[in-house]
Structure formats: structure tokens, C-alpha cells
Amino acid sequence: MTDRYALNSPSLTTLRNPSLRTESLAALGAFGALSAGAAAWGASVTSASQPWYRKLRKPPFQPPSWVFAPVWTVLYGLMSVSAWRVWNRPAGPKRSWALALWGVQLGFNALWSPLFFGAHRPRTALVDIAALGASLAAYTGLARKVDRGAAWMMVPYLAWVGFASALNEEIVRRNPRS
């Protein structure tokens, strides 16, 4: 029995229609560049060695600083490929809405580090990460209707955002004046 999702995968679609290869690779590059831009913006203000951050009381489940860069590298890669897979599906309202929601979640993602580390506003960052989680869940749910593989690629990101939300909430709780 043939898997109908495998037959309609983005890579097979571009193999069947060579004119899509350049456009598809450009789209993958664009999603990667958007994700890399969000990551670079966040990294430009993020530092665990900031005196303000070092003084915060953190929960015991706070991972070591070195964990964040490799985790985020994988997550940004997965979210880029997820959006690319959705983009490669036939045009329609679900695909358009899914891609719009992908952009919304990326915007909330990009805002979190400047709010938390740059502005020293963990409470505002907590509101942002809640909006990130909601938009990410909405994207994942809609992406599932467009390309199941794209939706599954977002599961680690959903889990990480849930964990990051708990960290953010605990920092707010343990540091009422920050």
C-alpha cells in the first residue's frame, strides 16, 4: 500500500516538476533566513553573563546556559523546514492561514529575548511567550491539515516553549520586583 503523504511530499513534487526546484529552494532559503534573523536578533541581546540576569533567582530546573544554543539551532531548523513543507503544498486558504500563523509565531519568538534580556521585563516576556505558545499551537493545528509531517516537526518546539514558559513563570514568581 502506498502512503499518500509520501507521494505528495514536497521533495517528490519538485522532482516531478523541475521548474519548481529553484522556486522551492528559494522558499526554503527564505524561511531559513527569516528564522535565522529572528535567532540573530534574539542572540544579540541574550547573555547569561549579564549582571541583571545573574542576580535573578532561578528555578532548580533551569538548564545550563550552553544547552540553549544547540536546542534553538535544531528548533529553528525544524520550524523552517515545517514552513517550507506547508509552502510546497497546493495553494489554498488553509495553507495561507498556516503560513500567516507561522509568521505570527516567529514574530512572538523574535520579541521574547529583547523583552526578557534586553528590556529586563520578565513579566512582559511571559505575556509574549503565552502568545507565542498560542500562535504556535494554532500553526501546528492548521499545518496538520495541510502537511502532517510539517505539523510533527513543530512538536519539539511546542514542548520547548512549554518548558520555557514554566521557566519564565518561575523567574517572575521568584523575582517579584523584576
Side-chain angles (χ1 to χ4, degrees):
M1 182 172 193
T2 305
D3 183 358
R4 69 183 172 110
Y5 295 107
L7 286 176
N8 293 316
S9 74
S11 57
L12 284 179
T13 301
T14 57
L15 286 174
R16 287 192 303 246
N17 185 348
S19 66
L20 289 178
R21 272 191 219 130
T22 301
E23 187 177 298
S24 181
L25 289 175
L28 179 58
F31 289 119
L34 288 168
S35 296
W41 189 31
S44 72
V45 296
T46 302
S47 174
S49 64
Q50 288 181 14
W52 171 82
Y53 182 74
R54 282 197 325 260
K55 289 178 187 175
L56 290 174
R57 282 178 256 133
K58 296 169 204 69
F61 57 90
Q62 173 83 23
S65 298
W66 64 265
V67 168
F68 292 91
V71 166
W72 276 110
T73 300
V74 170
L75 295 177
Y76 280 119
L78 286 170
M79 73 171 79
S80 298
V81 174
S82 174
W84 173 72
R85 286 180 60 112
V86 169
W87 182 87
N88 269 300
R89 303 303 290 162
K94 287 179 185 171
R95 183 187 88 154
S96 296
W97 276 109
L99 291 173
L101 285 167
W102 185 87
V104 168
Q105 68 78 28
L106 188 65
F108 284 124
N109 174 304
L111 284 175
W112 188 87
S113 289
L115 289 171
F116 188 91
F117 287 101
H120 303 170
R121 306 283 310 242
R123 288 180 195 290
T124 306
L126 185 58
V127 172
D128 175 80
I129 205 168
L132 167 59
S135 60
L136 177 56
Y139 165 76
T140 303
L142 199 47
R144 183 179 178 277
K145 296 176 182 178
V146 177
D147 182 297
R148 286 181 186 231
W152 277 109
M153 289 178 160
M154 300 307 278
V155 171
Y157 183 26
L158 279 164
W160 184 258
V161 167
F163 177 69
S165 297
L167 280 174
N168 193 158
E169 189 279 327
E170 271 299 297
I171 287 172
V172 166
R173 190 181 69 74
R174 291 166 181 262
N175 301 275
R177 294 190 180 169
S178 52

